[in-house]
Amino acid sequence: MTVQHVILDRDGVLNVEATGGWVLRVQDWRWQEAALEALAILSPGRTLSVATNQSCIGRGLVDAAVIEAVHTRMCAEAAAGGAPFAGVHCCAHSPEEGCRCRKPEPGLLLQAVGASGIPPEHTVFVGDSEGDLQAARRAEVTPVLVRTGKGRDTESSSAATGVAVFDDLLSFAHFLRRGGTLSPSAGRVGTQ
Ligand SMILES: [Mg+2]
Ligand SMILES: [Zn+2]
């Protein structure tokens, strides 16, 4: 498959998960090492989107406006590095609300695919959790696992069977730049 749209999980893929799990202040945002370099490699010729669960809003831990401000910073810094995001799709619900967007439900990814106009068979979702891999399958986009964040634990789970795994976003970006391909069905690594 030709990857035309890269949807990215946020926590553990783009940024370092904060102590306690959530980034609740703009100043607590910290990019994963080399994530900006990876985005700059991925961006030319491709659409980039973000899909993130932020139940900290639904749980009443933080105002939605603060998370919007975090995303404004994230988007500005990515764009300054040459990698503008086409969209940031955020689930603000708590698990108890039973929404259709909170991963592992596919809603956020379906939103990103719909907004992009790029077919799911040319779309990958890069995540670090089992829920990310499940959401990708349900949305019929190709899952990709990175070993940052929760990724090393996720790699040993059954959800990761057949999924392409990379040390971090930068190694995935290098793989695509070298002309590496992914099988759309299971996310297996093809020719390198
Ligand atoms: Mg994550
Ligand atoms: Zn939701």
Side-chain angles (χ1 to χ4, degrees), residues 43-135:
S43 183
R46 299 189 188 93
T47 296
L48 304 181
S49 305
V50 179
T52 178
N53 287 351
Q54 293 299 323
S55 68
C56 49
I57 300 169
R59 294 173 204 259
L61 298 173
V62 66
D63 200 90
V66 174
I67 300 303
E68 274 181 39
V70 170
H71 292 162
T72 298
R73 173 183 172 177
M74 172 184 78
C75 288
E77 293 180 2
F85 290 126
V88 178
H89 304 274
C90 178
C91 169
H93 304 109
S94 67
E96 294 73 30
E97 291 177 80
C99 68
R100 295 287 298 154
C101 45
R102 180 176 164 80
K103 296 171 288 182
E105 293 296 326
L108 283 186
L109 302 185
L110 296 175
Q111 282 176 28
V113 168
S116 73
I118 295 167
E121 54 267 31
H122 291 292
T123 301
V124 300
F125 178 47
V126 184
D128 69 318
S129 71
E130 290 186 50
D132 292 329
L133 303 178
Q134 290 158 356

Side-chain angles (χ1 to χ4, degrees), residues 20-40:
W22 289 290
V23 177
L24 301 176
R25 305 183 306 171
V26 175
Q27 61 266 38
D28 291 340
W29 176 269
R30 274 208 300 137
W31 289 97
Q32 289 278 353
E33 189 183 342
L36 284 168
E37 182 186 352
L39 292 173

Side-chain angles (χ1 to χ4, degrees), residues 9-13 17 128-129 132:
D9 175 45
R10 200 197 82 176
D11 299 316
V13 175
E17 287 182 306
D128 69 318
S129 71
D132 292 329

